[in-house]
Amino acid sequence: MAAAVMMASVGHGLPAAPPSSPSRFVNSVDSKPIVIVVEDTNEWKDSANQAKLFLTSLVLPLLPPIVQQRINRSMLVQRSSGASPPASMSAGASEGDDLPIGILPVPPGSEGANSLAVHGNVRCTLENLGEAYQSQQLMSWIEERPLVASSDSSNGSGVGGGSTSTQGGTPAHHSNGPDLHVVAQPDIHEIGDAAAFRANAAMVEVVINHRSADGLILRNVTMEVLNNLTGLQFKSKVISALALEGGFQHFLMTLDGQAFGSRVPLFAHTSFAAGCVIDIEDIGDRPKASGHT
C-alpha cells in the first residue's frame, strides 16, 4: 500500500481547473478538505462521482448536526423532483457548499490525476481507495484536521478547507460553539414540501441485531423503515422495536462498521439497502455518540 500512496503537496503537478468548469466542481486541491482529482473525461468523472458517494457516507457522521441538517435538506430536495428548493439554496447555498468533498477535473495525463487529496495533500490513487479504507489509513487522513471551520471563520458556509488553522485529530464539532448543534427551523417552502419528500420515500426491509458491549448478539428483529428517515429518527424506531432500556446515549448503531449521521437520511449511507444488517450495541465504556448514531 505504501508504494501506491502519493504524498505530493498542493501545487506539485496539479493544475487548477479551467475557469469554465461547472460550479459542481472545485478549482483547486485545497478548495475543500477532501478533493477527488480526476482526468477531465466522462469515464473518470463518473468514477469520481462514485467515490464521492462513498466518501460522503464516511464523513457525514463526523460533521456537526446543523451542517448535517443543511445537507439533509438539500439531499431531499434533489430526490423530490416536484419540490421547490429551500430559500437557503436559492440564495446560493447547496449541499455542495456544506459537504467537505469536491471533484477537481484536470487535463488528461496531468501528474497526480485520478487520485484522492485530503487536507491539501494527494494521498492515494482512486484505484487504491478501497485498500486505504480497509487499512484505516483513509479515516486517519480525514481526521488529521477538522472538516468544518470554527464558527468565527470567514468562510460563510462553515466548511473549512486546507487553510483551517486548527490542527490535530479532534473532530471539529468538539471544539466549535453551540451554534453548530442547534436545530435549524424550516422555512415556509420546506414545510410545504414535506408531503413531496414523504411521497418520494421508499420502504426498505432491514435486519437489526442488538449486541452487548462485547459484541454478542442478544436478539434481532426484521423491520421496515422509510429510507428518508434521519439517523436519529431511525435509532428511535429501533430502540422502540427492540424494547431496549435506555436512551440514545446508551447505544451505538452502525452498518458495515459505519455510523449513520444523526440528521441526514438513511439513503446517504452507501451500504443502506434492502436486506442490510444493522447493529445496535450497548455502549459500555465507549464515548457517547455525538452527531452520529
PDB file of all heavy atoms in Angstrom, residues 36-49:
ATOM      1  N   ILE A  36     -11.377  15.016  -4.903  1.00  0.00           N
ATOM      2  CA  ILE A  36     -11.135  13.897  -5.817  1.00  0.00           C
ATOM      3  C   ILE A  36     -10.626  14.491  -7.122  1.00  0.00           C
ATOM      4  O   ILE A  36     -11.339  15.230  -7.801  1.00  0.00           O
ATOM      5  CB  ILE A  36     -12.424  13.103  -6.047  1.00  0.00           C
ATOM      6  CG1 ILE A  36     -13.004  12.623  -4.706  1.00  0.00           C
ATOM      7  CG2 ILE A  36     -12.171  11.920  -6.972  1.00  0.00           C
ATOM      8  CD1 ILE A  36     -14.465  12.231  -4.775  1.00  0.00           C
ATOM      9  N   VAL A  37      -9.375  14.191  -7.451  1.00  0.00           N
ATOM     10  CA  VAL A  37      -8.729  14.752  -8.640  1.00  0.00           C
ATOM     11  C   VAL A  37      -8.805  13.727  -9.769  1.00  0.00           C
ATOM     12  O   VAL A  37      -8.291  12.614  -9.642  1.00  0.00           O
ATOM     13  CB  VAL A  37      -7.255  15.107  -8.356  1.00  0.00           C
ATOM     14  CG1 VAL A  37      -6.631  15.805  -9.560  1.00  0.00           C
ATOM     15  CG2 VAL A  37      -7.129  15.984  -7.111  1.00  0.00           C
ATOM     16  N   VAL A  38      -9.476  14.098 -10.861  1.00  0.00           N
ATOM     17  CA  VAL A  38      -9.640  13.140 -11.954  1.00  0.00           C
ATOM     18  C   VAL A  38      -9.388  13.800 -13.308  1.00  0.00           C
ATOM     19  O   VAL A  38      -9.529  15.018 -13.456  1.00  0.00           O
ATOM     20  CB  VAL A  38     -11.060  12.528 -11.973  1.00  0.00           C
ATOM     21  CG1 VAL A  38     -11.274  11.617 -10.797  1.00  0.00           C
ATOM     22  CG2 VAL A  38     -12.121  13.609 -12.042  1.00  0.00           C
ATOM     23  N   GLU A  39      -9.004  12.972 -14.282  1.00  0.00           N
ATOM     24  CA  GLU A  39      -8.874  13.475 -15.647  1.00  0.00           C
ATOM     25  C   GLU A  39     -10.251  13.926 -16.142  1.00  0.00           C
ATOM     26  O   GLU A  39     -11.271  13.330 -15.810  1.00  0.00           O
ATOM     27  CB  GLU A  39      -8.315  12.374 -16.554  1.00  0.00           C
ATOM     28  CG  GLU A  39      -6.891  11.974 -16.207  1.00  0.00           C
ATOM     29  CD  GLU A  39      -6.351  10.923 -17.158  1.00  0.00           C
ATOM     30  OE1 GLU A  39      -6.393  11.158 -18.391  1.00  0.00           O
ATOM     31  OE2 GLU A  39      -5.885   9.873 -16.679  1.00  0.00           O
ATOM     32  N   ASP A  40     -10.257  14.984 -16.928  1.00  0.00           N
ATOM     33  CA  ASP A  40     -11.499  15.601 -17.388  1.00  0.00           C
ATOM     34  C   ASP A  40     -12.099  14.805 -18.541  1.00  0.00           C
ATOM     35  O   ASP A  40     -12.155  15.253 -19.692  1.00  0.00           O
ATOM     36  CB  ASP A  40     -11.235  17.045 -17.800  1.00  0.00           C
ATOM     37  CG  ASP A  40     -12.521  17.843 -17.968  1.00  0.00           C
ATOM     38  OD1 ASP A  40     -13.603  17.262 -17.755  1.00  0.00           O
ATOM     39  OD2 ASP A  40     -12.443  19.039 -18.305  1.00  0.00           O
ATOM     40  N   THR A  41     -12.545  13.579 -18.215  1.00  0.00           N
ATOM     41  CA  THR A  41     -13.231  12.726 -19.185  1.00  0.00           C
ATOM     42  C   THR A  41     -14.505  12.214 -18.517  1.00  0.00           C
ATOM     43  O   THR A  41     -14.601  12.158 -17.278  1.00  0.00           O
ATOM     44  CB  THR A  41     -12.372  11.521 -19.601  1.00  0.00           C
ATOM     45  OG1 THR A  41     -12.171  10.668 -18.453  1.00  0.00           O
ATOM     46  CG2 THR A  41     -11.015  11.983 -20.140  1.00  0.00           C
ATOM     47  N   ASN A  42     -15.478  11.826 -19.304  1.00  0.00           N
ATOM     48  CA  ASN A  42     -16.739  11.334 -18.741  1.00  0.00           C
ATOM     49  C   ASN A  42     -16.530  10.100 -17.868  1.00  0.00           C
ATOM     50  O   ASN A  42     -17.144   9.951 -16.810  1.00  0.00           O
ATOM     51  CB  ASN A  42     -17.727  11.017 -19.861  1.00  0.00           C
ATOM     52  CG  ASN A  42     -18.239  12.267 -20.562  1.00  0.00           C
ATOM     53  OD1 ASN A  42     -18.241  13.356 -19.971  1.00  0.00           O
ATOM     54  ND2 ASN A  42     -18.669  12.121 -21.805  1.00  0.00           N
ATOM     55  N   GLU A  43     -15.645   9.213 -18.323  1.00  0.00           N
ATOM     56  CA  GLU A  43     -15.400   7.979 -17.574  1.00  0.00           C
ATOM     57  C   GLU A  43     -14.838   8.272 -16.191  1.00  0.00           C
ATOM     58  O   GLU A  43     -15.314   7.744 -15.183  1.00  0.00           O
ATOM     59  CB  GLU A  43     -14.438   7.078 -18.360  1.00  0.00           C
ATOM     60  CG  GLU A  43     -14.139   5.759 -17.648  1.00  0.00           C
ATOM     61  CD  GLU A  43     -13.171   4.882 -18.432  1.00  0.00           C
ATOM     62  OE1 GLU A  43     -12.755   5.305 -19.535  1.00  0.00           O
ATOM     63  OE2 GLU A  43     -12.847   3.795 -17.938  1.00  0.00           O
ATOM     64  N   TRP A  44     -13.816   9.137 -16.136  1.00  0.00           N
ATOM     65  CA  TRP A  44     -13.197   9.424 -14.842  1.00  0.00           C
ATOM     66  C   TRP A  44     -14.100  10.274 -13.958  1.00  0.00           C
ATOM     67  O   TRP A  44     -14.102  10.126 -12.734  1.00  0.00           O
ATOM     68  CB  TRP A  44     -11.827  10.079 -15.028  1.00  0.00           C
ATOM     69  CG  TRP A  44     -10.735   9.079 -15.253  1.00  0.00           C
ATOM     70  CD1 TRP A  44     -10.041   8.855 -16.400  1.00  0.00           C
ATOM     71  CD2 TRP A  44     -10.234   8.140 -14.299  1.00  0.00           C
ATOM     72  NE1 TRP A  44      -9.136   7.833 -16.226  1.00  0.00           N
ATOM     73  CE2 TRP A  44      -9.241   7.376 -14.944  1.00  0.00           C
ATOM     74  CE3 TRP A  44     -10.534   7.859 -12.973  1.00  0.00           C
ATOM     75  CZ2 TRP A  44      -8.530   6.357 -14.295  1.00  0.00           C
ATOM     76  CZ3 TRP A  44      -9.842   6.835 -12.306  1.00  0.00           C
ATOM     77  CH2 TRP A  44      -8.857   6.108 -12.979  1.00  0.00           C
ATOM     78  N   LYS A  45     -14.910  11.160 -14.559  1.00  0.00           N
ATOM     79  CA  LYS A  45     -15.830  11.945 -13.736  1.00  0.00           C
ATOM     80  C   LYS A  45     -16.936  11.066 -13.167  1.00  0.00           C
ATOM     81  O   LYS A  45     -17.399  11.301 -12.041  1.00  0.00           O
ATOM     82  CB  LYS A  45     -16.396  13.112 -14.548  1.00  0.00           C
ATOM     83  CG  LYS A  45     -15.376  14.252 -14.714  1.00  0.00           C
ATOM     84  CD  LYS A  45     -15.973  15.510 -15.307  1.00  0.00           C
ATOM     85  CE  LYS A  45     -16.221  15.367 -16.791  1.00  0.00           C
ATOM     86  NZ  LYS A  45     -16.571  16.669 -17.415  1.00  0.00           N
ATOM     87  N   ASP A  46     -17.326  10.022 -13.897  1.00  0.00           N
ATOM     88  CA  ASP A  46     -18.269   9.047 -13.340  1.00  0.00           C
ATOM     89  C   ASP A  46     -17.641   8.320 -12.142  1.00  0.00           C
ATOM     90  O   ASP A  46     -18.298   8.101 -11.120  1.00  0.00           O
ATOM     91  CB  ASP A  46     -18.682   8.022 -14.403  1.00  0.00           C
ATOM     92  CG  ASP A  46     -19.643   8.603 -15.428  1.00  0.00           C
ATOM     93  OD1 ASP A  46     -20.213   9.683 -15.166  1.00  0.00           O
ATOM     94  OD2 ASP A  46     -19.809   7.982 -16.501  1.00  0.00           O
ATOM     95  N   SER A  47     -16.376   7.960 -12.282  1.00  0.00           N
ATOM     96  CA  SER A  47     -15.662   7.300 -11.177  1.00  0.00           C
ATOM     97  C   SER A  47     -15.565   8.235  -9.976  1.00  0.00           C
ATOM     98  O   SER A  47     -15.705   7.802  -8.821  1.00  0.00           O
ATOM     99  CB  SER A  47     -14.258   6.880 -11.624  1.00  0.00           C
ATOM    100  OG  SER A  47     -14.317   5.909 -12.650  1.00  0.00           O
ATOM    101  N   ALA A  48     -15.343   9.512 -10.240  1.00  0.00           N
ATOM    102  CA  ALA A  48     -15.251  10.494  -9.160  1.00  0.00           C
ATOM    103  C   ALA A  48     -16.574  10.615  -8.419  1.00  0.00           C
ATOM    104  O   ALA A  48     -16.602  10.731  -7.183  1.00  0.00           O
ATOM    105  CB  ALA A  48     -14.828  11.848  -9.717  1.00  0.00           C
ATOM    106  N   ASN A  49     -17.682  10.590  -9.150  1.00  0.00           N
ATOM    107  CA  ASN A  49     -18.989  10.687  -8.508  1.00  0.00           C
ATOM    108  C   ASN A  49     -19.263   9.478  -7.618  1.00  0.00           C
ATOM    109  O   ASN A  49     -19.842   9.609  -6.536  1.00  0.00           O
ATOM    110  CB  ASN A  49     -20.092  10.825  -9.559  1.00  0.00           C
ATOM    111  CG  ASN A  49     -20.145  12.213 -10.173  1.00  0.00           C
ATOM    112  OD1 ASN A  49     -19.915  13.210  -9.485  1.00  0.00           O
ATOM    113  ND2 ASN A  49     -20.426  12.294 -11.465  1.00  0.00           N
TER     114      ASN A  49
END
